[in-house]
Amino acid sequence: MRTFPRVALATLLLALVLAAWQGVASLDSVDDLTLASPAETATALSDDWSLLMDNAWVTLEEVLLGLAIAVVAGAVLAVAMHLWQPLRDAAYPLLIASQAIPIVVLAPIFVLAFDYGMGPKLAIVALICFFPITVNVLDGLRSTPAELLKLMRSLGASRLQTLRKVELPAALPSFFTGLRVAASVSVIGAVFGEWAGADEGLGRLVLLANNQLQTPRAYAGIVLLTLMAVALFALATIADRLLCPWNREEAKA
Amino acid sequence: MQVHPEAPVQEPRPVQRSEIALDGVERRFGRRSTVVALRGLDLRVEAGEVLAVVGPSGCGKSTLLELVAGLQQPDAGSVSVTGATAYMPQRDLLLPWRDALGNAALALECQGLGRRDARERAGALFARFGLAEFERARPSELSGGMRQRVAFLRTLLPGRPVLLLDEPFGALDSITRTSMQGWLAGALAAEPRTVLLVTHDVEEAVLLADRVAVLSPRPGRVVAELDVRLARPRRRRDALGDPAFVELVRRALDVLAVGA
């Protein structure tokens, strides 16, 4: 019963936003070059479909690879920090500092360092996604109920057994929380990377179309980038539900 | 222990061998150790004996169990345990991401048994624990009594001779509790172990134990020991009609009332 009204409400709001957007864009005082209407954006989507898709694949690849690097590196670092207190104390300030760096400024530096190709984009996506994953996994590991740890001690479990059988599964829901945040910001990272220097990708296409006053194409690119981020978020949510069914059961109980 | 086919199987056993011995145990908590949970506590549990410890809440009963389990160290005095201990905490503490079988097998896995073997050995006992056909159920799908039985199975499977039970039925409703008490009494009769049972329920203590030790309010120490000279296993329904049983419960309550 719950799903239907939720979908209906979301669709309704989306329709309202589109209608308002169309209304504003249709005003005589609004220049077509300044604001493309939803209808014009849809036309651009179908006219430039193959161009948009070619570039979308490039961006998606950057996003997925960067995200994968962040997941592996973030999870490994979080586990290492959890197991070894000195590393936790040493690395935590650096971890926070890594988030304070404005990525916009960092992107051109990465391009200079890693050259034009995929490298700098992956580095930027990974850098953005790394933080939410590491922090959430670490939090998840550390919030394992003390009673469970005591139980494992009474069963004579080794440190590694406790980690594998109790702490890692207990941290899985937190990992997915981190992954959802990471997935939704990962696309932003790829776009920054492309803006700093690239010869393909949706971010670059939007920038180019904007400079060439092809406003509808720029909008079409933005729509696709948004859809990409939303789809990644949804995938992370689905994976969470499939792999941590107990988390929702517990919440219900 | 090695058993040779030609040698007599019965090993000569020293009479009244203490399996658990606590001497002058003291345990403090809090900043600058100002809270004294236990002080001057002496307690002995013989091999094969069921000893119940009762006392007012906050008298350090759980602390006592954790000391015997080796999860805490005494600040003074000594704790010695001959056999390996199996500790069952107050809450069932089942892992929500494992099914019932996986939870029961956890202790075996911690001993180094492979996941599949551990599940197999746990599964062989499911029917006897009244859990048949619930092997794949998650803890959230089990009733309170069933969760407790899974926790019991997890505790018993490694075959450790000393059982430490911390209010094992405290979280259950009274009907389930009665049936679980009957079930535990039967299980202990079928497979004797040395048991240290902590409870706040005097009737439960007298029902299940050979001996009942009454603790004082904090700092906890043993103020009385009652011998329950009644045959085990006892059924609650029969016991309630037995004047000797009722008298023992009354004496234990009297001691508790004086201490409080």
Side-chain angles (χ1 to χ4, degrees), chain B residues 90-108:
Chain B
Q90 229 165 54
R91 291 176 46 212
D92 54 60
L93 296 180
L94 301 183
L95 304 177
W97 51 86
R98 284 182 171 228
D99 60 14
L101 199 51
N103 268 293
L106 182 67
L108 291 175

Side-chain angles (χ1 to χ4, degrees), chain B residues 7-116:
Chain B
V9 179
Q10 203 73 46
E11 192 153 285
R13 242 185 171 181
V15 194
Q16 292 279 296
R17 182 169 59 97
S18 284
E19 197 109 32
I20 303 171
L22 287 87
D23 287 298
V25 165
E26 180 163 320
R27 183 78 180 111
R28 298 160 170 275
F29 289 108
R31 253 196 298 180
R32 280 177 286 174
S33 304
T34 43
V35 181
V36 184
L38 301 169
R39 174 178 283 163
L41 187 131
D42 301 310
L43 196 64
R44 268 175 174 60
V45 188
E46 314 303 333
E49 184 185 34
V50 178
L51 176 79
V53 173
V54 296
S57 53
C59 72
K61 298 190 294 279
S62 294
T63 305
L64 168 64
L65 269 196
E66 293 193 0
L67 284 166
V68 178
L71 294 169
Q72 293 185 27
Q73 299 305 318
D75 293 306
S78 73
V79 176
S80 86
V81 186
T82 312
T85 60
Y87 166 69
M88 185 159 137
Q90 229 165 54
R91 291 176 46 212
D92 54 60
L93 296 180
L94 301 183
L95 304 177
W97 51 86
R98 284 182 171 228
D99 60 14
L101 199 51
N103 268 293
L106 182 67
L108 291 175
E109 284 178 35
C110 290
Q111 291 188 321
L113 211 62
R115 190 170 286 226
R116 182 120 50 87

Side-chain angles (χ1 to χ4, degrees), chain A residues 48-205:
Chain A
D48 301 336
W49 184 250
S50 68
L51 174 75
L52 285 164
M53 276 301 115
D54 288 347
N55 285 283
W57 283 121
V58 174
T59 304
L60 186 62
E61 201 183 340
E62 292 162 1
V63 166
L64 289 181
L65 281 173
L67 206 50
I69 294 170
V71 165
V72 173
V76 168
L77 180 67
V79 170
M81 284 169 79
H82 176 63
L83 290 179
W84 197 38
Q85 168 95 36
L87 180 67
R88 181 159 74 232
D89 297 341
Y92 219 99
L94 281 178
L95 199 63
I96 291 164
S98 80
Q99 282 313 286
I101 308 167
I103 297 292
V104 202
V105 182
L106 205 60
I109 299 173
F110 274 18
V111 171
L112 238 126
F114 293 114
D115 211 356
Y116 245 47
M118 195 75 125
K121 286 87 178 175
L122 296 190
I124 290 163
V125 174
L127 187 67
I128 284 193
C129 298
F130 178 73
F131 182 77
I133 290 173
T134 311
V135 168
N136 278 289
V137 172
L138 188 60
D139 255 19
L141 288 169
R142 297 188 67 184
S143 60
T144 310
E147 288 176 306
L148 285 183
L149 299 179
K150 199 185 273 178
L151 173 75
M152 290 303 277
R153 270 208 291 147
S154 82
L155 295 179
S158 68
R159 187 72 193 87
L160 210 64
Q161 281 174 329
T162 303
L163 181 71
R164 262 198 12 237
K165 295 176 197 301
V166 173
E167 289 171 308
L168 284 179
L172 205 54
S174 302
F175 162 73
F176 278 113
T177 303
L179 185 63
R180 280 206 296 271
V181 176
S184 53
V185 296
S186 60
V187 176
I188 299 175
V191 169
F192 277 146
E194 290 175 10
W195 281 11
D199 39 25
E200 48 184 357
L202 263 189
R204 173 184 171 271
L205 189 73

Side-chain angles (χ1 to χ4, degrees), chain B:
Chain B
M1 179 179 79
Q2 265 189 320
V3 179
H4 299 285
E6 60 271 55
V9 179
Q10 203 73 46
E11 192 153 285
R13 242 185 171 181
V15 194
Q16 292 279 296
R17 182 169 59 97
S18 284
E19 197 109 32
I20 303 171
L22 287 87
D23 287 298
V25 165
E26 180 163 320
R27 183 78 180 111
R28 298 160 170 275
F29 289 108
R31 253 196 298 180
R32 280 177 286 174
S33 304
T34 43
V35 181
V36 184
L38 301 169
R39 174 178 283 163
L41 187 131
D42 301 310
L43 196 64
R44 268 175 174 60
V45 188
E46 314 303 333
E49 184 185 34
V50 178
L51 176 79
V53 173
V54 296
S57 53
C59 72
K61 298 190 294 279
S62 294
T63 305
L64 168 64
L65 269 196
E66 293 193 0
L67 284 166
V68 178
L71 294 169
Q72 293 185 27
Q73 299 305 318
D75 293 306
S78 73
V79 176
S80 86
V81 186
T82 312
T85 60
Y87 166 69
M88 185 159 137
Q90 229 165 54
R91 291 176 46 212
D92 54 60
L93 296 180
L94 301 183
L95 304 177
W97 51 86
R98 284 182 171 228
D99 60 14
L101 199 51
N103 268 293
L106 182 67
L108 291 175
E109 284 178 35
C110 290
Q111 291 188 321
L113 211 62
R115 190 170 286 226
R116 182 120 50 87
D117 292 340
R119 285 178 72 92
E120 211 166 277
R121 273 187 53 190
L125 290 172
F126 254 54
R128 220 209 295 166
F129 276 65
L131 292 163
E133 280 164 53
F134 283 92
E135 285 84 354
R136 312 216 120 237
R138 289 194 184 281
S140 58
E141 296 161 348
L142 298 173
S143 68
M146 295 180 94
R147 292 171 62 108
Q148 208 63 21
R149 283 200 288 266
V150 174
F152 256 113
L153 190 49
R154 179 185 61 199
T155 312
L156 296 174
L157 266 170
R160 297 179 175 173
V162 181
L163 275 185
L164 308 172
L165 309 176
D166 192 355
E167 302 204 9
F169 312 123
L172 303 176
D173 63 85
S174 74
I175 295 172
T176 313
R177 190 186 309 151
T178 302
S179 88
M180 286 295 292
Q181 285 166 349
W183 172 85
L184 177 63
L188 288 176
E191 199 182 329
R193 309 245 182 144
T194 305
V195 180
L196 182 54
L197 165 76
V198 155
T199 177
H200 59 251
D201 181 345
V202 172
E203 202 184 284
E204 176 175 282
V206 178
L207 186 69
L208 293 170
D210 297 314
R211 207 150 47 87
V212 178
V214 182
L215 291 197
S216 64
R218 203 169 62 206
R221 63 189 176 78
V222 179
V223 288
E225 286 191 25
L226 307 174
D227 268 321
V228 186
R229 293 200 188 84
L230 304 168
R232 282 200 288 130
R234 305 164 199 133
R235 289 172 56 190
R236 182 157 184 261
R237 211 189 40 165
D238 305 336
L240 288 177
D242 182 347
F245 177 85
V246 176
E247 176 57 27
L248 277 164
V249 173
R250 186 173 301 149
R251 271 175 54 203
L253 287 171
D254 284 345
V255 177
L256 276 171
V258 169

